[in-house]
Amino acid sequence: MPHTRYQIIEVAVPLPVDRTFHYSVPEALKSSVLAGVRVLVPFGRRKLTGYVLGSTAATAGELKDIIEVLDAEPLFTTREIALFRWIAGYYLFPLGEVIKTALPSGINIESRRKTVTGADGSWTTEEHLTTGKGIRRERFYQAAAGAADSAGIRGAGARILLYLLENGGTARSKLNELFPNPSAPLKRLEELGLVTIEEREVYRDPFREEAVSSETALSLNDHQAAAFSRIAETVSSGEFSPFLLHGVTGSGKTEVYLHAIAHTLKQGKRALVLTPEIALTPQLVRRFRGRFSEGIAVLHSGLSVGERYDEWRRIRRGEVAIVIGARSAVFAPLDDLGIIVVDEEHESSYKQSEGVSYNARDLALVRGKLEKATVVLGSATPLITTFHAAQEGRIQYLPLPERVQGRSLPETRILDTRQLKGATFSPELVTAITENLAKGGQTLLFLNRRGFATFLQCKDCGHVYRCPNCSVTLTHHRAKQRHFCHYCDYSLLAPSVCPECSGSDIGLFGRGTERLEDEVMELFPGARVARMDSDTTSRRGGHSRILKQLEEGSIDILIGTQMIAKGHDYPGVTLVGIVSADATLNIPDFRSAERTFQLVSQVMGRAGRGESPGKVIIQGIAPDHYALLRAAAHDYQGFYEEELAFREEAGYPPFSYLAMVVISGTAEKPVEKGAQDAARCLREERQGLKMRTEILGPAPAPLAKVRGRFRWQILLKAHNRSELKRLLLAFRKEWTPSRILRTTIDIDPVDTL
Ligand code: ADP
Ligand code: ZN
């Protein structure tokens, strides 16, 4: 399709600026400039890569010419530009940075490779063609073709080269199929420097290579069918409709997603599925692969930059009907989007913490609105704010109040651990584990701290070992014989004398999963025990291996951190013990009760999903706290009401809109002074604008120092969004901090630590 040639274009650059820039297009480049391509532009004395947003009317003043066009085809569509603009406006972040965040980083590497699996499947060889950063692809093609020609490469060699240039990512086996005896021509191409052959170890995609058995759709029960039919109706109508699918654990939410997506595909539309941490939920991916023969792209953190880029291109080219991925998949370049599913919508991992602090759960709704798609937020424990929106009718409510096939929710007891005097297990929990072992049932034990001991202290002078870079204590990891900071990479060899008093009696206090594992093995010597936390799963495939063992029944007791709370469906688990439920309650954050309720409910939800009923024992030192009582009673509604009353009284969401201004730096005094100046500046702007927005602080952040940076914060609570935004814009204009400080603005912070 011929396009109108652009004279003057609007360009976003990835710099901390609020505005976009205009450039003129020289005659020679007019045929290749389109909205969505990258261009090289002069910027001051530099050259920058910018993103073309579209053409624009002539502006006064002289414009500079763009230097070069970097892409042959657009990387993003005009519809996506609307989403990027929305994000830049909402999160107060430069548009160019937003676009850079949304695009896969592999785009800059511009490499094409083909992969050969080694004989034992453990290594792969890549034949690698690199065009180099910033070199235009066409120019490279020409050069390559020219070199091939002058080197007398014709016939098979030329065809292979052309094929590689056009297709990239081709497996060696495929080349062998396509070309008779490709080895000799490849060797020649390598000698000419047109193809680089490298051998290196490449991560294997744990999902792609797994053989999945195909599954047939289950017939839905009445609640599922009711939810499905309402979703299907709106998918067909092609209007934006947001839903909350509120289903208790084991109520079959995933089955509703699968049916809704099958319906969407039948309508010729595509589906996007967001899930908090894909590596932790191999079952979900397996179910999708088993159910759909259409193209599925899985974007997960285990992909290399190149693999991610390959997946991105498959999606961009329209070869994929379903995309499953974590947070950043909300930017997946799918056209004809019919449905977006946000599984476990309450999870805070949807929030990006570095750079553009977007929340993928919120962006799913924004994208759904822009693309007239149906958005299904699913959870057993929805965010208070989501449930509130459903109560007010802004989101349609779809309840799944019962577990499938009449299975009951687990019977639950809360035990007060104040009488235990530091012992790990109450006698009731020991009895329950013993009985469960005898019955052949599996037990999950949850403790939200990893490591062996959570702090170490000199018994003579009381000195506590802390991280020099972060305001936290060091955690002892026995297997590694060191003390680690869980916020940065600092670690210390186990010291034999106290640095303060030279005493040698250093005690290990507190309990992490590593110590818990020890205690369990001692108490239940015959049991097969495993541990799942980020220490035991840091090796690739670690999660899947442990979950597989659980599934096969070769684990009796699985100990773990919140990783074991995720949406796993293991019918053999009949007992769940929450060793200490209140650790999250003591976190100084307005959402600590909500987090505790969610976490405890999710862990409880792992019990009794199969034919045998489940049992849950919760231990805690605050057994009367409403978050624990309501979770134990499976009473979301009751929790919601109590929590909502607290939010209203304290003026937290949904009764206010929050933003956090954080001032950080490596020297303590200037940070404190900077924070005071920033707060003063905010208050002056507020007065100028005659607003009621509350400004709290400045105060040192609860995590006052992280990775060597001191942090102070100012919390803003506003009655409406537009007020908050106007205030922050005014602040940003006025605020001129010292250059050694960093100012970040977090819109809708998910915690205030
Ligand atoms: P949730 O995501 O709500 O916790 P799942 O979707 O994982 O629940 O479903 C729990 C289990 O119930 C799964 O093993 C699933 O195969 C099964 N299931 C779901 N829907 C049905 C149904 N209509 N009939 C029978 N089994 C079902
Ligand atoms: Zn640290």
Side-chain angles (χ1 to χ4, degrees), residues 346-349 351 359 381 383-384 446 448 562 581 584-585 587 589-603 627-628 631 639 643 647 749-753:
H346 62 276
E347 282 277 346
S348 9
S349 63
K351 174 84 170 180
N359 189 322
T381 52
L383 291 168
I384 293 294
F446 169 76
N448 212 10
Q562 76 254 33
T584 47
L585 274 181
I587 294 172
D589 183 65
F590 77 97
R591 286 190 49 207
S592 63
E594 181 177 32
R595 287 265 162 72
T596 306
F597 177 83
Q598 288 163 353
L599 196 52
V600 170
S601 305
Q602 297 287 343
V603 182
L628 298 186
F639 173 74
E643 180 65 11
R647 299 279 179 98
V750 299
D751 60 45
T752 51
L753 300 177

mmCIF file of all heavy atoms in Angstrom, residues 346-349 351 359 381 383-384 446 448 562 581 584-585 587 589-603 627-628 631 639 643 647 749-753:
data_model
loop_
_atom_site.group_PDB
_atom_site.id
_atom_site.type_symbol
_atom_site.label_atom_id
_atom_site.label_comp_id
_atom_site.label_asym_id
_atom_site.label_seq_id
_atom_site.Cartn_x
_atom_site.Cartn_y
_atom_site.Cartn_z
ATOM 1 N N HIS A 346 -4.279 -9.791 41.603
ATOM 2 C CA HIS A 346 -3.869 -9.100 42.822
ATOM 3 C C HIS A 346 -2.352 -9.073 43.006
ATOM 4 O O HIS A 346 -1.852 -8.410 43.901
ATOM 5 C CB HIS A 346 -4.489 -9.812 44.032
ATOM 6 C CG HIS A 346 -3.995 -11.230 44.148
ATOM 7 N ND1 HIS A 346 -4.566 -12.268 43.439
ATOM 8 C CD2 HIS A 346 -2.963 -11.766 44.820
ATOM 9 C CE1 HIS A 346 -3.908 -13.382 43.704
ATOM 10 N NE2 HIS A 346 -2.921 -13.102 44.534
ATOM 11 N N GLU A 347 -1.618 -9.796 42.188
ATOM 12 C CA GLU A 347 -0.182 -9.950 42.435
ATOM 13 C C GLU A 347 0.586 -8.653 42.225
ATOM 14 O O GLU A 347 0.451 -7.998 41.194
ATOM 15 C CB GLU A 347 0.384 -11.000 41.475
ATOM 16 C CG GLU A 347 0.075 -12.406 41.890
ATOM 17 C CD GLU A 347 1.057 -12.937 42.928
ATOM 18 O OE1 GLU A 347 2.126 -12.319 43.132
ATOM 19 O OE2 GLU A 347 0.739 -13.977 43.518
ATOM 20 N N SER A 348 1.452 -8.329 43.160
ATOM 21 C CA SER A 348 2.196 -7.070 42.994
ATOM 22 C C SER A 348 3.299 -7.172 41.964
ATOM 23 O O SER A 348 3.875 -6.160 41.580
ATOM 24 C CB SER A 348 2.779 -6.567 44.306
ATOM 25 O OG SER A 348 2.648 -7.492 45.303
ATOM 26 N N SER A 349 3.607 -8.388 41.503
ATOM 27 C CA SER A 349 4.664 -8.462 40.495
ATOM 28 C C SER A 349 4.212 -7.903 39.144
ATOM 29 O O SER A 349 5.021 -7.785 38.235
ATOM 30 C CB SER A 349 5.176 -9.889 40.349
ATOM 31 O OG SER A 349 4.140 -10.717 39.901
ATOM 32 N N LYS A 351 3.560 -4.956 38.869
ATOM 33 C CA LYS A 351 4.105 -3.599 38.908
ATOM 34 C C LYS A 351 5.581 -3.641 38.568
ATOM 35 O O LYS A 351 6.342 -4.408 39.129
ATOM 36 C CB LYS A 351 3.915 -3.046 40.326
ATOM 37 C CG LYS A 351 4.545 -1.707 40.573
ATOM 38 C CD LYS A 351 3.668 -0.581 40.143
ATOM 39 C CE LYS A 351 4.246 0.735 40.635
ATOM 40 N NZ LYS A 351 3.408 1.866 40.241
ATOM 41 N N ASN A 359 1.955 -0.543 35.798
ATOM 42 C CA ASN A 359 1.364 -1.735 36.369
ATOM 43 C C ASN A 359 0.620 -2.459 35.241
ATOM 44 O O ASN A 359 -0.326 -1.927 34.669
ATOM 45 C CB ASN A 359 0.400 -1.350 37.493
ATOM 46 C CG ASN A 359 -0.075 -2.556 38.259
ATOM 47 O OD1 ASN A 359 -0.310 -3.621 37.679
ATOM 48 N ND2 ASN A 359 -0.207 -2.422 39.557
ATOM 49 N N THR A 381 -8.529 -13.853 45.412
ATOM 50 C CA THR A 381 -8.407 -12.802 46.417
ATOM 51 C C THR A 381 -8.177 -11.471 45.713
ATOM 52 O O THR A 381 -7.066 -10.943 45.730
ATOM 53 C CB THR A 381 -7.208 -13.095 47.338
ATOM 54 O OG1 THR A 381 -6.048 -13.324 46.506
ATOM 55 C CG2 THR A 381 -7.432 -14.284 48.223
ATOM 56 N N LEU A 383 -7.841 -7.628 44.508
ATOM 57 C CA LEU A 383 -7.446 -6.418 45.208
ATOM 58 C C LEU A 383 -8.690 -5.746 45.787
ATOM 59 O O LEU A 383 -9.754 -5.805 45.165
ATOM 60 C CB LEU A 383 -6.795 -5.436 44.225
ATOM 61 C CG LEU A 383 -5.429 -5.822 43.670
ATOM 62 C CD1 LEU A 383 -5.066 -4.909 42.504
ATOM 63 C CD2 LEU A 383 -4.385 -5.737 44.776
ATOM 64 N N ILE A 384 -8.529 -5.134 46.928
ATOM 65 C CA ILE A 384 -9.637 -4.394 47.532
ATOM 66 C C ILE A 384 -10.189 -3.389 46.523
ATOM 67 O O ILE A 384 -11.406 -3.228 46.377
ATOM 68 C CB ILE A 384 -9.134 -3.657 48.803
ATOM 69 C CG1 ILE A 384 -8.751 -4.663 49.887
ATOM 70 C CG2 ILE A 384 -10.166 -2.662 49.316
ATOM 71 C CD1 ILE A 384 -9.887 -5.473 50.439
ATOM 72 N N PHE A 446 4.803 -23.727 54.645
ATOM 73 C CA PHE A 446 5.090 -22.408 54.095
ATOM 74 C C PHE A 446 5.779 -21.517 55.129
ATOM 75 O O PHE A 446 5.334 -21.402 56.277
ATOM 76 C CB PHE A 446 3.767 -21.778 53.659
ATOM 77 C CG PHE A 446 3.859 -20.328 53.311
ATOM 78 C CD1 PHE A 446 4.413 -19.932 52.099
ATOM 79 C CD2 PHE A 446 3.406 -19.352 54.189
ATOM 80 C CE1 PHE A 446 4.501 -18.588 51.765
ATOM 81 C CE2 PHE A 446 3.485 -18.012 53.860
ATOM 82 C CZ PHE A 446 4.036 -17.625 52.648
ATOM 83 N N ASN A 448 7.765 -17.647 54.887
ATOM 84 C CA ASN A 448 8.130 -16.645 53.896
ATOM 85 C C ASN A 448 9.514 -16.032 54.093
ATOM 86 O O ASN A 448 9.699 -14.845 53.858
ATOM 87 C CB ASN A 448 7.067 -15.558 53.844
ATOM 88 C CG ASN A 448 6.946 -15.004 52.435
ATOM 89 O OD1 ASN A 448 7.524 -15.570 51.515
ATOM 90 N ND2 ASN A 448 6.226 -13.930 52.282
ATOM 91 N N GLN A 562 6.927 -18.048 49.278
ATOM 92 C CA GLN A 562 5.666 -17.791 48.570
ATOM 93 C C GLN A 562 5.587 -18.454 47.213
ATOM 94 O O GLN A 562 4.522 -18.534 46.624
ATOM 95 C CB GLN A 562 5.360 -16.294 48.448
ATOM 96 C CG GLN A 562 6.154 -15.557 47.407
ATOM 97 C CD GLN A 562 7.215 -14.699 48.068
ATOM 98 O OE1 GLN A 562 7.750 -15.061 49.105
ATOM 99 N NE2 GLN A 562 7.513 -13.564 47.488
ATOM 100 N N ALA A 581 2.455 -17.025 60.110
ATOM 101 C CA ALA A 581 1.600 -16.313 59.165
ATOM 102 C C ALA A 581 1.728 -14.816 59.266
ATOM 103 O O ALA A 581 1.305 -14.088 58.391
ATOM 104 C CB ALA A 581 0.144 -16.707 59.391
ATOM 105 N N THR A 584 4.317 -11.037 57.332
ATOM 106 C CA THR A 584 3.949 -9.947 56.425
ATOM 107 C C THR A 584 3.067 -8.889 57.100
ATOM 108 O O THR A 584 3.009 -7.763 56.643
ATOM 109 C CB THR A 584 3.191 -10.481 55.189
ATOM 110 O OG1 THR A 584 2.187 -11.378 55.641
ATOM 111 C CG2 THR A 584 4.114 -11.196 54.236
ATOM 112 N N LEU A 585 2.418 -9.278 58.216
ATOM 113 C CA LEU A 585 1.561 -8.302 58.904
ATOM 114 C C LEU A 585 2.369 -7.164 59.508
ATOM 115 O O LEU A 585 1.869 -6.062 59.672
ATOM 116 C CB LEU A 585 0.790 -8.984 60.030
ATOM 117 C CG LEU A 585 -0.515 -9.662 59.684
ATOM 118 C CD1 LEU A 585 -1.119 -10.246 60.950
ATOM 119 C CD2 LEU A 585 -1.481 -8.681 59.041
ATOM 120 N N ILE A 587 4.960 -5.713 58.336
ATOM 121 C CA ILE A 587 5.607 -4.801 57.398
ATOM 122 C C ILE A 587 4.879 -3.453 57.450
ATOM 123 O O ILE A 587 3.657 -3.410 57.394
ATOM 124 C CB ILE A 587 5.568 -5.411 55.975
ATOM 125 C CG1 ILE A 587 6.430 -6.667 55.963
ATOM 126 C CG2 ILE A 587 6.036 -4.416 54.939
ATOM 127 C CD1 ILE A 587 6.345 -7.467 54.693
ATOM 128 N N ASP A 589 3.347 -1.082 56.001
ATOM 129 C CA ASP A 589 2.806 -0.656 54.728
ATOM 130 C C ASP A 589 1.285 -0.729 54.797
ATOM 131 O O ASP A 589 0.739 -1.623 55.437
ATOM 132 C CB ASP A 589 3.327 -1.583 53.624
ATOM 133 C CG ASP A 589 2.861 -1.145 52.259
ATOM 134 O OD1 ASP A 589 3.261 -0.058 51.832
ATOM 135 O OD2 ASP A 589 2.064 -1.878 51.641
ATOM 136 N N PHE A 590 0.606 0.167 54.083
ATOM 137 C CA PHE A 590 -0.859 0.191 54.206
ATOM 138 C C PHE A 590 -1.498 -1.054 53.628
ATOM 139 O O PHE A 590 -2.652 -1.351 53.903
ATOM 140 C CB PHE A 590 -1.445 1.460 53.563
ATOM 141 C CG PHE A 590 -1.519 1.440 52.058
ATOM 142 C CD1 PHE A 590 -2.701 1.100 51.406
ATOM 143 C CD2 PHE A 590 -0.420 1.762 51.293
ATOM 144 C CE1 PHE A 590 -2.778 1.080 50.022
ATOM 145 C CE2 PHE A 590 -0.485 1.743 49.909
ATOM 146 C CZ PHE A 590 -1.664 1.399 49.268
ATOM 147 N N ARG A 591 -0.765 -1.798 52.815
ATOM 148 C CA ARG A 591 -1.369 -3.000 52.253
ATOM 149 C C ARG A 591 -0.947 -4.277 52.966
ATOM 150 O O ARG A 591 -1.164 -5.369 52.463
ATOM 151 C CB ARG A 591 -1.045 -3.090 50.764
ATOM 152 C CG ARG A 591 -1.852 -2.073 49.934
ATOM 153 C CD ARG A 591 -1.720 -2.316 48.463
ATOM 154 N NE ARG A 591 -1.964 -3.716 48.156
ATOM 155 C CZ ARG A 591 -1.449 -4.343 47.121
ATOM 156 N NH1 ARG A 591 -0.679 -3.697 46.281
ATOM 157 N NH2 ARG A 591 -1.698 -5.612 46.914
ATOM 158 N N SER A 592 -0.336 -4.174 54.143
ATOM 159 C CA SER A 592 0.189 -5.397 54.760
ATOM 160 C C SER A 592 -0.921 -6.378 55.141
ATOM 161 O O SER A 592 -0.738 -7.587 55.020
ATOM 162 C CB SER A 592 1.084 -5.069 55.951
ATOM 163 O OG SER A 592 0.348 -4.429 56.944
ATOM 164 N N ALA A 593 -2.082 -5.884 55.575
ATOM 165 C CA ALA A 593 -3.173 -6.806 55.910
ATOM 166 C C ALA A 593 -3.676 -7.496 54.643
ATOM 167 O O ALA A 593 -3.901 -8.710 54.609
ATOM 168 C CB ALA A 593 -4.318 -6.063 56.588
ATOM 169 N N GLU A 594 -3.827 -6.712 53.591
ATOM 170 C CA GLU A 594 -4.292 -7.270 52.323
ATOM 171 C C GLU A 594 -3.322 -8.324 51.795
ATOM 172 O O GLU A 594 -3.723 -9.414 51.378
ATOM 173 C CB GLU A 594 -4.461 -6.140 51.301
ATOM 174 C CG GLU A 594 -4.977 -6.637 49.960
ATOM 175 C CD GLU A 594 -5.228 -5.507 48.954
ATOM 176 O OE1 GLU A 594 -4.502 -4.495 48.997
ATOM 177 O OE2 GLU A 594 -6.137 -5.652 48.122
ATOM 178 N N ARG A 595 -2.033 -8.007 51.852
ATOM 179 C CA ARG A 595 -1.020 -8.966 51.394
ATOM 180 C C ARG A 595 -1.082 -10.254 52.201
ATOM 181 O O ARG A 595 -0.980 -11.350 51.653
ATOM 182 C CB ARG A 595 0.386 -8.376 51.596
ATOM 183 C CG ARG A 595 0.737 -7.310 50.641
ATOM 184 C CD ARG A 595 1.507 -7.895 49.460
ATOM 185 N NE ARG A 595 1.472 -6.941 48.361
ATOM 186 C CZ ARG A 595 2.156 -5.809 48.368
ATOM 187 N NH1 ARG A 595 2.951 -5.513 49.377
ATOM 188 N NH2 ARG A 595 2.054 -4.971 47.367
ATOM 189 N N THR A 596 -1.226 -10.110 53.519
ATOM 190 C CA THR A 596 -1.256 -11.284 54.376
ATOM 191 C C THR A 596 -2.477 -12.131 54.056
ATOM 192 O O THR A 596 -2.379 -13.352 53.918
ATOM 193 C CB THR A 596 -1.276 -10.851 55.857
ATOM 194 O OG1 THR A 596 -0.169 -9.983 56.078
ATOM 195 C CG2 THR A 596 -1.176 -12.045 56.771
ATOM 196 N N PHE A 597 -3.615 -11.475 53.916
ATOM 197 C CA PHE A 597 -4.839 -12.207 53.587
ATOM 198 C C PHE A 597 -4.678 -12.969 52.269
ATOM 199 O O PHE A 597 -5.005 -14.149 52.163
ATOM 200 C CB PHE A 597 -6.026 -11.231 53.494
ATOM 201 C CG PHE A 597 -7.310 -11.903 53.097
ATOM 202 C CD1 PHE A 597 -8.094 -12.546 54.031
ATOM 203 C CD2 PHE A 597 -7.726 -11.914 51.762
ATOM 204 C CE1 PHE A 597 -9.275 -13.181 53.663
ATOM 205 C CE2 PHE A 597 -8.900 -12.542 51.383
ATOM 206 C CZ PHE A 597 -9.674 -13.185 52.340
ATOM 207 N N GLN A 598 -4.123 -12.281 51.274
ATOM 208 C CA GLN A 598 -3.937 -12.914 49.967
ATOM 209 C C GLN A 598 -2.998 -14.111 50.062
ATOM 210 O O GLN A 598 -3.291 -15.204 49.578
ATOM 211 C CB GLN A 598 -3.333 -11.914 48.972
ATOM 212 C CG GLN A 598 -4.309 -10.846 48.530
ATOM 213 C CD GLN A 598 -3.622 -9.651 47.886
ATOM 214 O OE1 GLN A 598 -2.385 -9.552 47.884
ATOM 215 N NE2 GLN A 598 -4.403 -8.750 47.346
ATOM 216 N N LEU A 599 -1.860 -13.877 50.715
ATOM 217 C CA LEU A 599 -0.839 -14.914 50.771
ATOM 218 C C LEU A 599 -1.359 -16.141 51.521
ATOM 219 O O LEU A 599 -1.238 -17.275 51.051
ATOM 220 C CB LEU A 599 0.403 -14.327 51.452
ATOM 221 C CG LEU A 599 1.701 -15.082 51.307
ATOM 222 C CD1 LEU A 599 2.001 -15.378 49.849
ATOM 223 C CD2 LEU A 599 2.840 -14.251 51.911
ATOM 224 N N VAL A 600 -1.962 -15.898 52.684
ATOM 225 C CA VAL A 600 -2.465 -17.011 53.483
ATOM 226 C C VAL A 600 -3.568 -17.751 52.714
ATOM 227 O O VAL A 600 -3.579 -18.977 52.645
ATOM 228 C CB VAL A 600 -2.948 -16.505 54.867
ATOM 229 C CG1 VAL A 600 -3.698 -17.605 55.616
ATOM 230 C CG2 VAL A 600 -1.766 -16.021 55.695
ATOM 231 N N SER A 601 -4.474 -17.002 52.081
ATOM 232 C CA SER A 601 -5.547 -17.654 51.320
ATOM 233 C C SER A 601 -4.984 -18.480 50.169
ATOM 234 O O SER A 601 -5.455 -19.578 49.886
ATOM 235 C CB SER A 601 -6.518 -16.631 50.727
ATOM 236 O OG SER A 601 -7.026 -15.792 51.722
ATOM 237 N N GLN A 602 -3.977 -17.918 49.492
ATOM 238 C CA GLN A 602 -3.408 -18.637 48.350
ATOM 239 C C GLN A 602 -2.696 -19.913 48.802
ATOM 240 O O GLN A 602 -2.810 -20.949 48.156
ATOM 241 C CB GLN A 602 -2.424 -17.751 47.576
ATOM 242 C CG GLN A 602 -3.050 -16.510 46.948
ATOM 243 C CD GLN A 602 -3.924 -16.801 45.722
ATOM 244 O OE1 GLN A 602 -3.842 -17.881 45.139
ATOM 245 N NE2 GLN A 602 -4.765 -15.853 45.361
ATOM 246 N N VAL A 603 -1.948 -19.823 49.891
ATOM 247 C CA VAL A 603 -1.256 -21.021 50.386
ATOM 248 C C VAL A 603 -2.294 -22.062 50.812
ATOM 249 O O VAL A 603 -2.193 -23.241 50.473
ATOM 250 C CB VAL A 603 -0.312 -20.701 51.573
ATOM 251 C CG1 VAL A 603 0.425 -21.953 52.013
ATOM 252 C CG2 VAL A 603 0.685 -19.624 51.214
ATOM 253 N N ALA A 627 -7.068 -10.291 59.251
ATOM 254 C CA ALA A 627 -6.577 -10.870 57.988
ATOM 255 C C ALA A 627 -6.466 -12.392 58.125
ATOM 256 O O ALA A 627 -6.806 -13.136 57.204
ATOM 257 C CB ALA A 627 -5.231 -10.267 57.616
ATOM 258 N N LEU A 628 -6.012 -12.865 59.291
ATOM 259 C CA LEU A 628 -5.867 -14.310 59.496
ATOM 260 C C LEU A 628 -7.217 -14.972 59.750
ATOM 261 O O LEU A 628 -7.528 -16.027 59.189
ATOM 262 C CB LEU A 628 -4.923 -14.602 60.663
ATOM 263 C CG LEU A 628 -3.480 -14.104 60.508
ATOM 264 C CD1 LEU A 628 -2.630 -14.595 61.671
ATOM 265 C CD2 LEU A 628 -2.897 -14.569 59.183
ATOM 266 N N ALA A 631 -9.177 -15.084 56.511
ATOM 267 C CA ALA A 631 -8.595 -16.039 55.567
ATOM 268 C C ALA A 631 -8.955 -17.458 55.994
ATOM 269 O O ALA A 631 -9.401 -18.271 55.180
ATOM 270 C CB ALA A 631 -7.079 -15.864 55.484
ATOM 271 N N PHE A 639 -13.508 -9.948 54.997
ATOM 272 C CA PHE A 639 -12.217 -9.267 54.995
ATOM 273 C C PHE A 639 -12.331 -7.939 54.267
ATOM 274 O O PHE A 639 -11.865 -6.902 54.734
ATOM 275 C CB PHE A 639 -11.128 -10.130 54.336
ATOM 276 C CG PHE A 639 -9.850 -9.364 54.175
ATOM 277 C CD1 PHE A 639 -9.046 -9.106 55.279
ATOM 278 C CD2 PHE A 639 -9.479 -8.844 52.949
ATOM 279 C CE1 PHE A 639 -7.891 -8.339 55.160
ATOM 280 C CE2 PHE A 639 -8.333 -8.076 52.819
ATOM 281 C CZ PHE A 639 -7.540 -7.834 53.923
ATOM 282 N N GLU A 643 -11.395 -4.346 55.843
ATOM 283 C CA GLU A 643 -10.265 -3.644 55.246
ATOM 284 C C GLU A 643 -10.724 -2.325 54.626
ATOM 285 O O GLU A 643 -10.046 -1.300 54.722
ATOM 286 C CB GLU A 643 -9.600 -4.543 54.200
ATOM 287 C CG GLU A 643 -8.401 -3.959 53.492
ATOM 288 C CD GLU A 643 -7.180 -3.692 54.380
ATOM 289 O OE1 GLU A 643 -7.157 -4.155 55.541
ATOM 290 O OE2 GLU A 643 -6.260 -3.005 53.907
ATOM 291 N N ARG A 647 -9.383 1.427 55.204
ATOM 292 C CA ARG A 647 -8.897 2.283 54.111
ATOM 293 C C ARG A 647 -9.611 3.638 54.133
ATOM 294 O O ARG A 647 -9.022 4.672 53.851
ATOM 295 C CB ARG A 647 -9.132 1.617 52.759
ATOM 296 C CG ARG A 647 -8.424 0.285 52.570
ATOM 297 C CD ARG A 647 -6.978 0.472 52.190
ATOM 298 N NE ARG A 647 -6.321 -0.819 52.040
ATOM 299 C CZ ARG A 647 -6.127 -1.428 50.862
ATOM 300 N NH1 ARG A 647 -6.540 -0.866 49.751
ATOM 301 N NH2 ARG A 647 -5.508 -2.588 50.814
ATOM 302 N N PRO A 749 1.709 3.639 43.784
ATOM 303 C CA PRO A 749 2.688 2.692 44.344
ATOM 304 C C PRO A 749 1.957 1.478 44.908
ATOM 305 O O PRO A 749 0.850 1.630 45.442
ATOM 306 C CB PRO A 749 3.364 3.489 45.472
ATOM 307 C CG PRO A 749 2.389 4.568 45.837
ATOM 308 C CD PRO A 749 1.653 4.892 44.571
ATOM 309 N N VAL A 750 2.545 0.289 44.763
ATOM 310 C CA VAL A 750 1.874 -0.885 45.335
ATOM 311 C C VAL A 750 2.352 -1.160 46.754
ATOM 312 O O VAL A 750 1.768 -1.948 47.467
ATOM 313 C CB VAL A 750 2.019 -2.167 44.480
ATOM 314 C CG1 VAL A 750 1.409 -1.977 43.109
ATOM 315 C CG2 VAL A 750 3.455 -2.614 44.379
ATOM 316 N N ASP A 751 3.438 -0.527 47.138
ATOM 317 C CA ASP A 751 3.770 -0.533 48.555
ATOM 318 C C ASP A 751 4.473 0.775 48.874
ATOM 319 O O ASP A 751 4.827 1.535 47.978
ATOM 320 C CB ASP A 751 4.620 -1.748 48.945
ATOM 321 C CG ASP A 751 5.921 -1.807 48.196
ATOM 322 O OD1 ASP A 751 6.601 -0.773 48.073
ATOM 323 O OD2 ASP A 751 6.292 -2.903 47.720
ATOM 324 N N THR A 752 4.617 1.042 50.130
ATOM 325 C CA THR A 752 5.234 2.312 50.513
ATOM 326 C C THR A 752 6.498 2.040 51.323
ATOM 327 O O THR A 752 6.749 2.641 52.350
ATOM 328 C CB THR A 752 4.259 3.173 51.328
ATOM 329 O OG1 THR A 752 3.739 2.362 52.389
ATOM 330 C CG2 THR A 752 3.109 3.655 50.484
ATOM 331 N N LEU A 753 7.276 1.076 50.841
ATOM 332 C CA LEU A 753 8.523 0.743 51.519
ATOM 333 C C LEU A 753 9.686 1.465 50.849
ATOM 334 O O LEU A 753 10.817 1.267 51.166
ATOM 335 C CB LEU A 753 8.763 -0.767 51.485
ATOM 336 C CG LEU A 753 7.664 -1.587 52.162
ATOM 337 C CD1 LEU A 753 7.937 -3.067 52.018
ATOM 338 C CD2 LEU A 753 7.570 -1.226 53.633
#
